[in-house]
Every structure is written in C-alpha cells, then in structure tokens.
C-alpha cells in the first residue's frame, strides 16, 4: 500500500525510481553499474572475499583449539561459529547475487544492499538474542568489504560512477539517514536520479549541494530511511518536499505526467540562455553562479551565468582524511575555475568550514567539537586562528588572479578587528609573493554580510571593501536564532521575516548610495518566489546555483523595477510581509 513521507523541498522536479538505502557508515562504498559480461567477475570477487574471511575465521578457530582456549573463551568460540554461519547463509549469497545479476550493481554495492535487506529482518525479530545478531552480520560484511578494498575490481578502474550500462534502465534514488555535504559531493557524478535524507534543513549545506546536482531531492524527511525498504518504488517530488513510497498505478501516472511537464518546462527555459537579463523598464540584472568545485564552471556557463558570484572553496578541504590542500593544489583548483569561466569574473570565497561543514576527523582542531558549532570557530574565525593556513589560501587566490578577473570574498566577518586582521594578511600574502618573485593578479575585495552585526554596521564594511555579498542563509539563521541544518525548527526559517527584510534592505540601500556593488548569494537569490521582492528592494546582482538561473531570469524579464520598488516598501512596512507576497 502506498504511503507518503513529508520533508523539506530542496529542488524542482520529480524522480521516480527504486530505493537504494545507504547506511551513513557505508557512504564511501563504491556505487557503479557493471556490464553484462562483467557480472561473473563481480560474483567471483564476492566469492573470493567470502573465502578469505572464512579462512581468517577458521585460522582463529584453529589457534583457539590449539591453545585449548575454546573452553576459556566460550563466547568467542560461539561468535566465530555465528560469523561462519552468516558467511555461508544462503539468503546473503543469493540476495547479493540477485543485485549483481538483475541490477548490475558492483559487488560492494550488492553486498551492502543485501545487508540492508537482512538487517531489517533482524530488526523485526522478537527474540532479543536473534535481534542482536544484526551486529554480527554487519561485522562480517565489513570484513568482506575490507578484503574487497584490497582486491581492486578490474571493472571499477574503467567504470566511472555514472557510466550506466544500457542494460540497466531502472532509475535509482538514494535514501540515507544523513549525508554530510562532503558525502553529497561524492555522489555528484553518481547513478542516482534523486535523494532523500532523514535529517537536514532547507538551507543546510547538504541541501545546497543536492540542489547544485539539479536532481529532485527532499531532506529532513525524518524516518524515511526506516520506512523505505531496499528496492521499494519511490516517487520524490523535490518541489513539494513529498516522498511517496510504493505508489499506486494512478499516482505513478500522475507523477509521470508531472515529470514530463517539468522536462517540457526546462526545455522552454533553456531557450532563455542567451537572452539578456533585463527588466521591462530596461534595468540590467546580473545573474551569477554559485559553485562548489572548479568543474562546476561548465554548468555555470551552460546556464548563461555572467560570472561566479560564490565559489565555496571549503569543499576542496573536505573528505581528505585530514590532509588539507597546500598552496599549489589550491592555486591549481582556483586557476581551473578562473580559466573555466573563460574571462568572466570569479568570486572566490575564503574557506568556510565549521558548523554543518565539518572537516573530517583527522583535520579537526582542538575545541572543534563545540556545543554550538554555528556560533563557534567557523569561516573567517577559523582562518584567522591559523594565519599560516590562511596565507596558503590567500597566496593561491592572488596567484590565480593572474589568469583572469578574480574577486576575493571573506565570509562571516563581524568585528572591525577581524576586518583589519584579514586585510593585513592579504597584504602580507602579496608581500610574500613579491619576495618570492611570483606572479599574481589584482583582486577586488569583498565581505559577506551574513551576521546581523555586519548588516547593522554596513558603513564600516563599505570603508574597507570594494563590494558586499549578502549571505542570506546565515543572516536568517543568526537573525532568527534558527539552526539552518535542523529540520525541527525549519518551519521558523523565514526569509521574509520583517527583521530579515530590514537588514537586507538597509544593506542594499547603503551600498547603492555609495555606488558599491552588492549581491545576494544565499538561497534566497535562487528562489523565484522572492525575485520580485529582491528587485523591489533594489538588488541588481543575484548569485545562485546554475540550475536556478534561467527560472530567475524568466521572472526578471517580467519585472518593472519602478512598480516593484513601491510595492517592496509596503512589504517592508508590513507586520506580516508574507501575506503581501502574492500581490
Ligand atoms: C549564506 O550564508 O547565505 C551563504 C551563501 O554562505 P553558506 O551557505 O556557504 O554559509
Ligand atoms: Mg554563510
């Protein structure tokens, strides 16, 4: 029987496919399809791994016997028996084979898929002893995965994760309890047509990366990963934040229709790519792209972006087992982004780790595990706490600026002292490059306005910076005291709260009065329901994920800035601005 789970809407579109449940601890397991002729090779890899683990266990049993320790350690002996039994279990073997033969999953993926199926059955057992055997099964699978890691697949080397075998036409959607932004990035080139996670708010970084993948996704769907079983048919409505499990034929037909409509709409929007973003009354609007990786420049250009308004460099620092990128590696990455944009400007933001973008364990610093990480050592605070590391990044950015127009953007500044320290370090980086005789280019310096304290002291920022960029995701989080990553308070996350609008409007007006450029690069910029309001408040530069650019452009083409300015003032003065938004 079909049922529905609700969560936070992340991105437009509908995905219909079979569920692949991935446990958080197994996210790094490779997921790719194998070709028909490689199916036997994968089955053999599994058999080989199982045999190695069986041998390992039998060796331990032998040595226990030899030492006469079986009686001394009866639990250990019994445990080894259970592990051997599980390894030889027919349901495990035949289930794994099914995923490889029928679905063409690679061996590791097939093994973890079947693990999920059997683990559910253990969870439902009445007998607590049997229920606890789930942990044994997980251990056995973990050992097999470890063995397989050591025997590289001959297929994996040639198969890119997205290299779909034409024999496998079933679309797949990924269901997970939680995915960190770095995990999400790993799935960027993957086989999945949609995502659902149990946790996460609408502007959490996991949702932001999901949005950048331009596939339907729902986050904060609470217990979805428990309610959905491996291989269930699932519909993801990324626009409504709805997940339908085991849909009826009627629902399938309805959503299939919606899916096709979405494709037609995309096709229609794609014709706007080369249309200039100009309002009805002739005002030019700048539409920029947010990117996470240098390679995203391709999508930015394809969507008709006139530059990159936000390159979130922290993704270069994540998922690296503690080894942070050095100056050379960063320089090469920034240069790739700059060259990828073919002469259009690239705004490179200095690293913003912390809060819901943690570095992996190995790179954590003492005190990183704070109770309130969003209020802790994040973004510029993290950089200023380690000037040597920060100088690596500043030098790399300055060097990349020799290859094209670069703006350097600093996140989360709040204090005059932080501004002075940051600017002094930028100057130091230049001097160091001079001393080494290295080539670097000019940069425009910008600050993010994403802490209320910054929005209330705009003149200070304008004295020191060439441009400002408003990070509405954090500005809303900090103004309304709502954790953006916590789905439990996401109903309170309100971009049109009067306090937020006052801060936004004040920042835009002051920048314009001084002739300095200002943009919005938070998720508000890509929300078509807010385009008219932002234009009415005087915004002329928007930065968003490439996938949203054309839809926002379509709104802009229908705007009259004069009329919207008058209307925006009434929204600004209203007790309940949301009520006026439909006007
Ligand atoms: C923001 O806070 O709005 C922003 C753009 O930065 P991030 O989402 O990376 O925190
Ligand atoms: Mg931010």
């Amino acid at each position: 029987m079909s049922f529905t789970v609700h969560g936070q809407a992340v991105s437009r579109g509908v995905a219909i496919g079979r569920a692949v449940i991935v446990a958080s601890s197994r996210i790094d397991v490779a997921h790719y399809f194998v070709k028909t002729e490689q199916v036997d090779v994968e089955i053999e890899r599994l058999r080989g791994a199982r045999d190695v683990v069986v041998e390992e266990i039998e060796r331990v049993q032998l040595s226990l016997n030899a030492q006469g320790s079986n009686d001394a350690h009866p639990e250990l002996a019994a445990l080894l028996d259970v592990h051997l039994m599980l390894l030889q279990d027919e349901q495990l073997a035949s289930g794994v084979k099914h995923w490889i033969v029928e679905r063409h999953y690679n061996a590791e993926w097939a093994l973890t898929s079947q693990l999920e199926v059997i683990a559910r059955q253990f969870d439902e057992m009445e007998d607590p002893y049997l229920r606890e055997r789930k942990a044994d099964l997980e251990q056995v699978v973990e050992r097999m995965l470890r063995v397989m890691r050591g025997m590289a697949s001959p297929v994996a080397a040639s198969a890119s994760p997205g290299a779909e075998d034409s024999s496998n036409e079933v679309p797949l959607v990924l269901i997970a309890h939680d995915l960190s932004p770095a995990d999400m990035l790993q799935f960027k080139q993957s086989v999945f047509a949609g995502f659902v996670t149990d946790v996460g708010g609408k502007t959490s970084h996991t949702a932001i990366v999901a949005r950048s993948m331009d596939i339907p996704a729902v986050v904060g769907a609470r217990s979805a990963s428990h309610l959905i079983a491996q291989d269930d048919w699932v519909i993801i409505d990324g626009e409504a934040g709805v997940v339908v499990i085991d849909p009826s034929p009627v629902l399938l037909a309805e959503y299939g229709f919606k899916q096709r409509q979405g494709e037609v709409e995309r096709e229609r929007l794609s014709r706007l790519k080369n249309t200039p973003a100009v309002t009805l009354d002739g005002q030019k609007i700048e539409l920029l792209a947010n990117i996470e990786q240098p390679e995203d420049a391709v999508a930015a250009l394809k969507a008709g972006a006139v530059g990159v308004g936000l390159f979130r460099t922290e993704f270069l620092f994540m998922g690296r087992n503690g080894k942070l990128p050095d100056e050379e590696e960063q320089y090469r990455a920034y240069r790739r982004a700059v060259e990828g944009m073919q002469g259009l400007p690239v705004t490179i933001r200095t690293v913003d780790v912390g809060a819901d973008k943690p570095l992996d364990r190995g790179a954590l610093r003492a005190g990183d595990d704070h109770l309130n990480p969003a209020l802790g050592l994040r973004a510029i605070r993290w950089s200023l706490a380690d000037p040597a590391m920060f100088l690596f990044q500043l030098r790399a950015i300055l060097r990349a600026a020799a290859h094209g127009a670069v703006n350097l953007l600093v996140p989360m500044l709040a204090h005059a002292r932080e501004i002075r320290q940051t600017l002094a370090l930028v100057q130091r980086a230049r001097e160091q490059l001079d001393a080494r005789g290295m080539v670097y280019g000019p940069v425009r310096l910008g600050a993010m306005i994403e802490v209320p304290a910054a929005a209330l002291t705009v003149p200070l920022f304008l004295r020191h910076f060439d441009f400002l960029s408003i990070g509405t995701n954090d500005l809303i989080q900090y103004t309304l005291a709502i954790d953006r990553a916590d789905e439990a308070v996401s109903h309170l996350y309100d971009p049109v709260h009067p306090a937020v609008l006052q801060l936004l409007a004040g920042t835009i007006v002051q920048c314009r009065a001084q002739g300095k450029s200002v943009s919005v690069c938070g998720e508000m910029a890509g929300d078509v329901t807010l385009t008219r309001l932002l234009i009415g408040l005087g915004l002329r530069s928007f930065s968003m994920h490439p996938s949203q650019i054309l839809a926002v452009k379509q709104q802009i083409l229908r705007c009259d800035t004069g009329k919207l300015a008058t209307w925006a003032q009434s929204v600004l003065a209203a007790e309940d601005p949301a009520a006026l938004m439909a006007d």
Side-chain angles (χ1 to χ4, degrees), residues 203 205 208 290 310 312 314 349 352 356-357 378 448 450 470-475 484 521-523:
T203 57
H205 284 93
I208 287 173
N290 289 357
L310 173 65
R312 289 183 163 100
E314 50 275 15
R349 182 176 73 179
D352 179 4
D356 72 332
K357 284 180 288 193
R378 115 165 238 213
M448 289 202 59
E450 49 184 351
I470 309 174
T472 48
N473 305 334
D474 279 315
L475 189 60
R484 61 193 268 196
C521 63
E523 297 302 292

Side-chain angles (χ1 to χ4, degrees), residues 5 21 120 175 196-198 221-229 243:
V5 178
I21 318 272
R120 294 283 166 103
I175 316 288
V196 179
T197 58
D198 292 348
R222 306 289 172 102
S223 45
S225 74
H226 287 286
L227 297 172
I228 302 173
V243 185

Side-chain angles (χ1 to χ4, degrees), residues 273-472:
K273 185 195 157 186
N274 297 317
T275 308
V278 178
T279 61
L280 290 172
D281 54 328
Q283 295 280 325
K284 232 174 136 219
I285 311 294
E286 185 178 50
L287 295 182
L288 303 161
N290 289 357
I291 65 171
E292 278 88 36
Q293 292 171 307
E295 295 67 36
D296 296 339
V298 177
L301 287 179
K302 198 161 159 234
V306 296
V308 167
L310 173 65
F311 177 3
R312 289 183 163 100
T313 60
E314 50 275 15
F315 287 92
L316 298 172
F317 290 64
M318 291 191 263
R320 305 173 47 97
N321 295 323
K323 191 181 166 297
L324 299 182
D326 62 16
E327 179 179 328
E328 253 340 279
E329 186 181 341
Q330 290 189 52
Y331 160 65
R332 282 197 301 272
Y334 305 147
R335 181 177 167 175
R336 274 204 311 283
V338 170
E339 291 178 342
M341 286 307 289
Q342 301 174 5
L344 296 171
V346 177
T347 303
I348 304 177
R349 182 176 73 179
T350 61
V351 64
D352 179 4
V353 291
D356 72 332
K357 284 180 288 193
L359 288 178
D360 23 67
R361 291 274 117 207
L364 288 180
R365 298 180 189 160
D368 276 353
D369 279 339
H370 287 296
L371 222 47
N372 283 312
L375 302 180
L377 200 67
R378 115 165 238 213
I380 189 62
R381 302 169 181 183
W382 193 84
S383 297
L384 291 177
D386 188 345
M389 191 279 311
F390 193 31
L391 282 164
F392 278 146
Q393 180 166 42
L394 294 174
R395 290 193 301 263
I397 296 173
L398 292 170
R399 287 172 57 195
H403 302 276
V406 168
N407 305 317
L408 192 156
L409 180 61
V410 186
M412 236 189 126
L413 289 163
H415 302 266
R417 187 176 66 245
E418 287 170 332
I419 297 176
R420 283 195 296 272
Q421 285 171 359
T422 302
L423 297 180
L425 283 166
V426 173
Q427 188 47 30
R428 172 115 50 98
R430 287 194 187 104
E431 287 161 10
Q432 288 174 335
L433 290 171
D434 281 334
R436 291 186 205 162
M438 293 183 90
V439 180
Y440 61 91
V443 291
R444 286 170 75 233
L445 288 171
M448 289 202 59
I449 301 295
E450 49 184 351
V451 179
L456 292 167
T457 52
V458 169
L460 164 73
F461 285 79
L462 290 177
R463 275 200 294 281
H464 293 283
F465 290 96
D466 304 314
F467 70 99
L468 301 184
S469 186
I470 309 174
T472 48

Side-chain angles (χ1 to χ4, degrees), residues 5-16 173-175 179 184 192-202 204-221 234-243 266:
V5 178
H6 292 262
Q8 303 293 316
V10 166
S11 49
R12 286 173 302 148
V14 170
I16 304 175
V173 296
L174 182 90
I175 316 288
L179 287 173
M184 208 70 186
F192 298 108
F195 284 91
V196 179
T197 58
D198 292 348
V199 303
K202 204 169 173 155
S204 63
H205 284 93
T206 300
I208 287 173
V209 181
R211 206 165 286 132
S212 78
M213 292 160 71
D214 199 17
I215 54 175
V218 171
V219 299
V234 171
I235 296 174
I236 302 175
D237 183 340
E239 194 164 339
V242 167
V243 185
R266 262 165 199 259

Side-chain angles (χ1 to χ4, degrees), residues 42-59:
E42 289 304 278
I43 296 178
E44 210 30 64
R45 285 178 66 226
L46 264 169
R47 227 177 257 141
R50 190 197 56 191
D51 292 349
V52 170
V53 178
V54 166
E55 270 170 36
E56 279 173 9
I57 296 177
E58 286 175 347
R59 256 201 314 277

